[in-house]
Amino acid sequence: MSPSSFNFVDAKDKFTASAVQALTGKSIKPLISIFNQIPGNEAEKKTTLDQALRGVLGDLIVEQKARCDDYLALIYLSIDGVTEGICSATTPFVLLGDVLDCLPLDLCDKIFSFVEENVSTWKSNSFYTAGKNYLLRMCNDLLRRLSKSQNTVFCGRIQLFLARLFPLSEKSGLNLQSQFNLDNITVFNKNEQESTLGQKHTEEKEDGMEVEEGEMGEDDGPAPSSIPIDYNLYRKFWTLQDYFRNPVQCYDKFSWMTFLKFSDETLAVFKSYKLDDMQASKRKLEELRASSGEHVYFAKFLTSEKLMDLQLSDSNFRRHILLQYLILFQYLKGQVKFKSSSCVLNDDQAAWIEETTKLVYQLLREIPPDGDKFAAMVEHILNTEENWNAWKNEGCPSFVKERTVDDKPKRPTRKRQAPEDFLGKGPDRKIFMGNDELTRLWNLNHDNMEACKSDSREFMPSLDEFFAEAIEQADPANMVEEEYKVVRNANYGWRALRLLSRRSPHFFQPTNQKFKSLADYLDSMVSKLAKELPKDIPSEEIKTGEEDDDDNGDNLLKDSNDSPSIQSKLVTNQQMDDVAAKLGAQWKNLASHFEMKAAELREIETDSEDVDMQAKLLLVAWQDREGTQATVENLVAALNAAGFSQIADGLSEA
């Protein structure tokens, strides 16, 4: 018997009736029961249940008799449905969006309180991926309906909710390109003819005239302002707000001159007319705090000419303006990734900003109450902001670092006792190594490992540089006695061996020659290295005291004038490098024509595993054995005999 087909209309009716029953009983069990009874696959049933829940919500909204609690009960029901796996993860967010779109703002406030309280639910794995875009769209729709000046608190709650919902590295909520809100325009009187500043009030108030809220009566009127306010000061002061709104203008030459002039005059007024505790109305401020316990905040500046003298005498207003200067200066000096290449300060601008920043901090410290504390807090916050700027410039990397999971658990190992445990601690503790020289070297630095990593110790001289003195002393023309040659120095010999092992293939070349001492060996090596020196090194006859040892054929360099033809035909180190690179793994074919013994070939293979180096060692061994007969002509003949005619032709042409 074939299973019955899925009927969408019938299933939706059953889900709708079960949803109403579940709302009445405040339990998800009726929905789970009917979900299991209806035939069909889970995807079809989930989609049908989603439509049924939206239909129930629509009926509640149309009846206009439901309360916010009824809407929230249905949303809670959908959340339980997601947890039980009977409806889609996006359903609660769709229902929330429908409710907020259909309700007035006063009821939206209550619904949004529910959204704020369940932020942990929205951040869980079951809901976050599916619902983050819905929540972002819902919040943006709410912000478009709200007035930034009338519903300031509600707008702030929405922004704080988004900050709690999304991680810090979420780029959708970041101003990555450092764009400014250019719509925030400060409106003020730009027509001097309509200005009332400077006019004397000659009319007296009529008896019985009502005083509007926000105005001052005769008894409450402030003392005559000591700050000379005219229209020019008023215009220049409020014009600065345009630069704070769009700091990029400061990079323009003419706009910068205007900003510089207006800023100097404004800050001069702040500096000349300082506030004291009486002018700051400290007593009235304490009364305000005692009565309401809250600070007064305005979303926009009031730019009436009548309020200018009161504003300049208000400590909070001055702090607002000076803080705007500091934020502007930080942007102009800072490194912003998306700044244009033309947005660069010249030396004069940078110097003026540096001086003005010091003046602004000085003015902040002089504003009562608690000026020093306020200035220190502002400086700390702006310094912290530099870290955020650097983080944005680096592309907003995630703050969450994933742990490396080791497949094999580490066995606890017993650590060897540290030297501090038995030698004592403290910088003055001297460690004795059993030898005066070792003790001195060990205690040169408190951390020897860090001292060994110093850049000053990372060096390796070239062969020409290190052996230049030894080659020069080997020249009989310089008449250096044997006992004064550097090769007789044990320290020099030790360093020479280390350098030869790193730089010269001669070090690994096997030889039958016997050396009585290290100095004799270095004399022989100097002889070989002298052949490879650059042309600017004198090539006169160099002897090492082995003139009588003619059996091995390794005499030192002879006078180039005596045998120019032989000297010009000797194989150079560069030529050997080129031939070795071309031979590669086929170097053994050439070894048979060099008449090399099997023991010598095994030794070459043991010295290096690299085939190019093995080929180079073969050529070096041949050069050491042949001496002055290691010419290009002989090498070309051997290459041709071994079947490497192309390599031989290239060597002949070179």
Side-chain angles (χ1 to χ4, degrees), residues 37-215:
Q37 295 176 8
I38 296 177
N41 59 52
E42 287 195 2
E44 292 175 337
K45 293 190 286 185
K46 282 185 178 181
T47 305
T48 307
L49 179 56
D50 297 341
Q51 294 295 327
L53 291 176
R54 291 193 73 181
V56 173
L57 178 64
D59 295 338
L60 292 175
I61 295 175
V62 171
E63 291 176 2
Q64 297 183 354
K65 296 180 181 179
R67 301 170 299 168
C68 287
D69 294 339
D70 298 330
Y71 304 135
L72 297 179
L74 184 61
I75 296 173
Y76 273 124
L77 191 66
S78 66
I79 293 175
D80 293 338
V82 175
T83 306
E84 297 293 336
I86 62 175
C87 66
S88 304
T90 58
T91 303
F93 307 104
V94 174
L95 298 179
L96 273 173
D98 293 343
V99 170
L100 293 174
D101 287 342
C102 299
L103 294 182
L105 289 177
D106 55 341
L107 296 180
C108 287
D109 194 338
K110 298 179 181 179
I111 298 295
F112 192 77
S113 298
F114 160 79
V115 177
E116 290 177 306
E117 293 170 358
N118 289 274
V119 65
S120 58
T121 302
W122 313 137
K123 293 177 70 173
S124 62
N125 295 332
S126 303
F127 294 93
Y128 181 75
T129 304
K132 62 178 182 179
N133 291 332
Y134 286 91
L135 289 173
L136 182 61
R137 189 182 305 113
M138 178 187 71
C139 291
N140 288 333
D141 292 340
L142 269 178
L143 289 173
R144 279 192 286 270
R145 293 173 60 188
L146 296 171
S147 169
K148 293 183 180 179
S149 57
Q150 299 296 327
N151 307 106
T152 308
V153 176
F154 198 176
C155 293
R157 287 170 56 195
I158 295 174
Q159 298 289 355
L160 289 175
F161 167 74
L162 291 175
R164 293 171 59 195
L165 176 67
F166 291 101
L168 288 173
S169 56
E170 177 64 36
K171 296 184 180 181
S172 61
L174 298 173
N175 183 13
L176 291 177
Q177 298 184 1
S178 300
Q179 297 176 346
F180 301 99
N181 181 17
L182 302 181
D183 296 333
N184 183 23
I185 300 176
T186 302
V187 181
F188 61 95
N189 180 20
K190 298 182 180 180
N191 189 353
E192 187 175 1
Q193 303 298 328
E194 299 177 0
S195 175
T196 59
L197 290 172
Q199 299 179 5
K200 296 182 178 180
H201 299 281
T202 56
E203 299 180 0
E204 297 180 356
K205 294 183 179 180
E206 297 180 1
D207 296 339
M209 180 178 179
E210 295 182 358
V211 180
E212 296 183 3
E213 184 180 359
E215 294 183 356

Side-chain angles (χ1 to χ4, degrees), residues 556-571:
L556 294 176
L557 289 179
K558 298 182 179 179
D559 192 347
S560 60
N561 295 327
D562 295 338
S563 54
S565 59
I566 296 178
Q567 182 66 23
S568 61
K569 293 181 181 180
L570 290 177
V571 178

